[in-house]
Each structure stands twice: as structure tokens, then as C-alpha cells.
Amino acid sequence: MDLAAAKARIVEDIRKYGCHVIQVQGNGPHPSFAYSVGIGRTSDSPDVCVFGLPAPSAHRLLHHYNKDVREGGRFEPGQVLQGYIKNADCVLRPVDPSHHEALFGFNVWLHDGPRFRMLQLVYPTVEGIWPWSEMATDWLRQQQPILENVSGPH
């Protein structure tokens, strides 16, 4: 699909569903991730991203968030989400705008620049370990990089 067709599909999905989900395939040390495009345009809530999950799971989580937004839910940094992942809570963390251009290109396009709100949906391991925990492994930190701090070069 060429870029013009991709943009047309994004606009159509936003019109129909309130958002479009972009899947980014990981490579080497960079994990796979997914992010929504358009939620910030169709509601008062930020768009959302999630790292380190298989594409179907990530897609399902982002659509769950979009459904909650469309049903009137409002989301802010630090908010705990229940029912998104079986047997675990998730937490919404802020994404520093310094990450926007490198990671969320279709949102930059939609908003004519990097001025939009993005949250990161973060989840623990099955043992309950969060990526920011002292007990987190390097692998976990690599799979779920926490984006609330100013970025260095990508």
C-alpha cells in the first residue's frame, strides 16, 4: 500500500471507528509496538501506545481503550486500568513529546506536527514485575521502554 492509500485508510478508519491502529514491527534491540491514531482528534482523551506485545494482543488492547473512550471514559497519566489484561492491572504513563516524531509518525502527520497527547499503556510480567521495578530484567526494560522522560537520539 502506498503512502497516499495508507493515509486515506487512516482517515476513513478514524471517521468510522474513532481511530486507526498502527503496528510497528520490532527489529534487533527495538521492540514491536502499536499506537492509535485519531483518538485525540475524536475525543478529549489522548492517543495510546503499547510496547512488547504480539500484534493481535496490542491491537485488542488499543481497541479496548478506544471503545472505552467512545463510551465516555476519560484517561489521564497514572490511571490504573482493570480488565484490559487477564489477571493484571495496567497503568497509563505519559509519553514525553520528544518521542513523537521518531515513533508516532502518522500522528505527527494527522496533527501537522508533534503537538498531540500520547499515553503509554504499561503492563507487568505474570510475576507482577513492572518495567520500572528494581527487579525488572534488562529484557523487560527493552521490551517496554518507558517514554515519559525526554528522549535522546532514536
Side-chain angles (χ1 to χ4, degrees):
M1 179 182 306
D2 70 2
L3 186 57
K7 288 178 177 180
R9 178 159 181 213
I10 289 168
V11 169
E12 180 63 14
D13 284 352
I14 291 169
R15 186 188 66 72
K16 283 169 106 170
Y17 309 112
C19 80
H20 179 85
V21 173
I22 301 290
Q23 299 280 344
V24 179
Q25 182 64 41
N27 61 5
H30 305 288
S32 296
F33 68 100
Y35 66 96
S36 66
V37 179
I39 292 174
R41 277 281 178 97
T42 60
S43 73
D44 291 333
S45 287
D47 277 283
V48 67
C49 65
V50 64
F51 284 76
L53 289 175
S57 298
H59 203 93
R60 188 171 46 254
L61 286 177
L62 299 187
H63 275 292
H64 187 161
Y65 175 88
N66 183 52
K67 178 181 173 285
D68 286 350
V69 165
R70 290 173 66 92
E71 292 175 352
R74 294 294 171 251
F75 299 93
E76 297 297 330
Q79 190 168 344
V80 175
L81 302 179
Q82 297 176 329
Y84 279 62
I85 294 178
K86 186 177 180 180
N87 300 322
D89 291 342
C90 299
V91 175
L92 293 172
R93 302 290 286 247
V95 172
D96 188 86
S98 63
H99 298 281
H100 289 183
E101 289 191 57
L103 298 175
F104 311 116
F106 282 106
N107 277 8
V108 172
W109 161 73
L110 185 67
H111 294 276
D112 294 319
R115 293 189 186 115
F116 54 90
R117 295 182 305 150
M118 178 70 72
L119 293 174
Q120 181 179 1
L121 192 152
V122 183
Y123 53 92
T125 64
V126 294
E127 296 85 13
I129 299 170
W130 294 92
W132 52 80
S133 165
E134 289 181 13
M135 295 172 45
T137 64
D138 289 342
W139 180 87
L140 176 59
R141 288 189 180 106
Q142 182 180 341
Q143 289 301 299
Q144 284 198 83
I146 302 302
L147 304 178
E148 62 189 73
N149 297 318
V150 173
S151 93
H154 283 271

